[in-house]
Amino acid sequence: MRVLLAEDEPHLCEQVKKLLNAEGRVVDVAHNGMDALHLGETEPYDMIILDIGLPERDGISVLRTWRSSGIKTPVLILTARDGWSERVDGLDAGADDYMTKPFHMPELAARVRAILRRQSGQVNPVIEMGEVILDTRNGRVTLHGIPVDLTAQEIAVLSYLAHNSGRMISRTELSEHIYEYDGDRDSNTIAVFVTRLRKKLGSDLITTIRGRGYMIDTI
């Protein structure tokens, strides 16, 4: 699952990115409102974390522009302002949730998980696929109750397919959601990751729709 983090504080960006990477998320960072606006308009994110107080263009303005242009990506706004009116402005502009700085990292991670679950129709942070279990709270995967060692990209592929179970996902779509903005998006490597997942988790987990893409059956 791919997340845009629009935040101008370098240390906070580093902390949040490390936190989300540990849960199998791919994170792009925008340090100002203009970059955030551009990335949000041109890249297929699963959700966006948006600071209100961005330089060059404020977060509320960016969010209103996204919504007026039809972009429906879920948005969690961050604000250093503790007044209720700023929170109301953010929610009325189209935000799905908000957090006030300073905040606890585990709470941010939990809110991100909740938004991604709602977006994909999942209700449980632990996704069960037969004997394969993906815990979205920590990116851990087990088979028959035994932990399975997966690479970050293998977890990213599994997570995206699991969150979109029952829907055919093309190689192109997968590559757009498991690589960062400046990553090498070679859709041919998706087949390699799928092959590795089948070897580690069972050949029946992921179905190939020949010439179109992959799917995990409805969970």
Side-chain angles (χ1 to χ4, degrees), residues 197-211:
L197 286 169
R198 285 173 172 153
K199 287 181 178 178
K200 294 178 179 181
L201 301 175
S203 59
D204 296 333
L205 177 63
I206 301 172
T207 301
T208 296
I209 294 86
R210 188 172 298 277

Side-chain angles (χ1 to χ4, degrees), residues 45-218:
Y45 294 105
D46 295 296
M47 73 162 291
I48 297 170
I49 301 173
L50 178 66
D51 182 28
I52 287 181
L54 292 171
E56 297 189 20
R57 186 163 180 173
D58 70 275
I60 296 296
S61 171
V62 170
L63 179 54
R64 286 186 176 132
T65 300
W66 284 335
R67 295 306 189 229
S68 65
S69 61
I71 294 171
K72 300 178 181 180
T73 309
V75 173
L76 167 65
I77 58 172
L78 304 178
T79 175
R81 308 161 189 167
D82 58 5
W84 62 267
S85 61
E86 285 80 11
R87 297 196 290 272
V88 170
D89 287 343
L91 293 170
D92 283 345
D96 297 84
D97 199 356
Y98 72 87
M99 291 190 70
T100 303
K101 298 178 182 178
F103 52 80
H104 296 289
M105 287 293 170
E107 182 182 358
L108 174 64
R111 288 178 183 268
V112 168
R113 291 194 297 270
I115 288 174
L116 291 173
R117 286 200 307 273
R118 290 197 298 270
Q119 178 73 355
S120 61
Q122 300 288 342
V123 297
N124 196 319
V126 178
I127 302 177
E128 298 187 16
M129 299 160 278
E131 296 299 330
V132 177
I133 296 178
L134 167 63
D135 191 337
T136 64
R137 295 168 296 187
N138 48 35
R140 293 176 183 168
V141 178
T142 60
L143 174 63
H144 302 295
I146 301 172
V148 179
D149 185 22
L150 300 181
T151 67
Q153 287 178 317
E154 288 167 358
I155 292 174
V157 170
L158 179 64
S159 178
Y160 192 75
L161 290 173
H163 277 87
N164 292 277
S165 61
R167 183 169 72 87
M168 191 280 297
I169 307 296
S170 69
R171 288 187 185 183
T172 299
E173 181 177 345
L174 265 173
S175 66
E176 288 176 340
H177 287 266
I178 70 164
Y179 292 114
E180 296 179 7
Y181 177 69
D182 55 356
D184 182 14
R185 298 185 198 175
D186 181 2
S187 62
N188 292 324
T189 61
I190 298 298
V192 176
F193 298 140
V194 169
T195 298
R196 291 176 182 171
L197 286 169
R198 285 173 172 153
K199 287 181 178 178
K200 294 178 179 181
L201 301 175
S203 59
D204 296 333
L205 177 63
I206 301 172
T207 301
T208 296
I209 294 86
R210 188 172 298 277
R212 298 178 61 195
Y214 304 99
M215 182 174 71
I216 287 179
D217 290 335
T218 302

